[in-house]
Amino acid sequence: MRGSNLHPLFKMILVFLVDTSASMNQRTSFGMTLLDCAKAAIEHFHTRLCKENQLPHQQGHKYMLVTLEEGCGAVRAGWRDSLEVFLEEVKNLKAVDMTCLGDALKTSFDLLNLNRLQQGRDNYGMGRQPLRSAPAAVILFTDNGNVSTLNGVKNEVCLGDEDDTLYI
């Protein structure tokens, strides 16, 4: 983020999608699990962002934490939660879920789109309003393992329904 060319009034919208599948319990050569590495990366990212944005008008980024858990439990910290709640939820992550990566990615993009609609940032049929735009990023932390679902193990990530499918 060093040397960022973002206008100081822009607030970043950051969605952290963390793979909480059991395969994230693998240990690295340093003795940390892959999930511990993801947690440390998120905390480091936040620390660097805060350090570079020390002026009050540069703060106020929105954070969301999404995991691979199915259903409503996938969103561990939402837009309205405080930063302390977000960081506490990051620390409390456990790798116990299946690798339903496509569903989690779809959920992340749907929530990001919903937030933009609620904030009036996307105005369909009324043209773009560049001053109302907000940069956003979905940051995925995964071990790049196979996708495991209730239907078995797959080699591809599928976003969407059967009629409107995007394979990654």
Side-chain angles (χ1 to χ4, degrees):
M1 306 285 318
R2 183 172 295 240
S4 175
N5 292 329
L6 291 177
H7 189 276
L9 296 179
F10 278 139
K11 309 293 187 233
M12 284 289 293
I13 299 173
L14 299 166
V15 180
F16 291 95
L17 176 56
V18 181
D19 182 350
T20 52
S21 64
S23 62
M24 291 292 282
N25 285 321
Q26 297 177 67
R27 296 223 175 253
T28 65
S29 58
F30 298 112
M32 294 175 63
T33 65
L34 295 176
L35 184 61
D36 290 337
C37 292
K39 292 177 187 181
I42 292 171
E43 290 174 3
H44 179 74
F45 186 91
H46 165 69
T47 304
R48 290 293 304 261
L49 193 61
C50 286
K51 204 179 276 188
E52 290 184 10
N53 298 320
Q54 293 179 351
L55 300 175
H57 68 277
Q58 292 177 322
Q59 296 175 355
H61 303 292
K62 289 187 175 188
Y63 298 94
M64 180 174 270
L65 179 63
V66 180
T67 64
L68 299 188
E69 187 175 336
E70 292 187 32
C72 298
V75 178
R76 302 297 294 269
W79 308 119
R80 293 189 176 122
D81 291 328
S82 68
L83 188 57
E84 291 77 22
V85 170
F86 172 81
L87 292 173
E88 189 63 33
E89 286 295 328
V90 168
K91 290 178 185 174
N92 292 335
L93 289 177
K94 298 204 179 333
V96 294
D97 300 315
M98 296 179 79
T99 312
C100 300
L101 192 56
D103 293 339
L105 277 169
K106 184 175 183 325
T107 299
S108 298
F109 285 119
D110 287 346
L111 290 169
L112 185 58
N113 187 40
L114 184 63
N115 177 266
R116 288 179 172 207
L117 287 172
Q118 287 176 340
Q119 299 296 320
R121 297 193 188 283
D122 285 339
N123 298 310
Y124 297 108
M126 297 185 342
R128 287 203 55 131
Q129 299 174 350
L131 291 177
R132 294 200 37 88
S133 66
V138 175
I139 303 169
L140 171 64
F141 293 92
T142 184
D143 63 344
N144 199 23
N146 286 339
V147 178
S148 60
T149 64
L150 295 174
N151 299 330
V153 178
K154 299 180 181 178
N155 292 328
E156 64 218 7
V157 176
C158 173
L159 299 176
D161 300 328
E162 297 151 8
D163 298 337
D164 185 28
T165 303
L166 171 67
Y167 291 99
I168 300 175

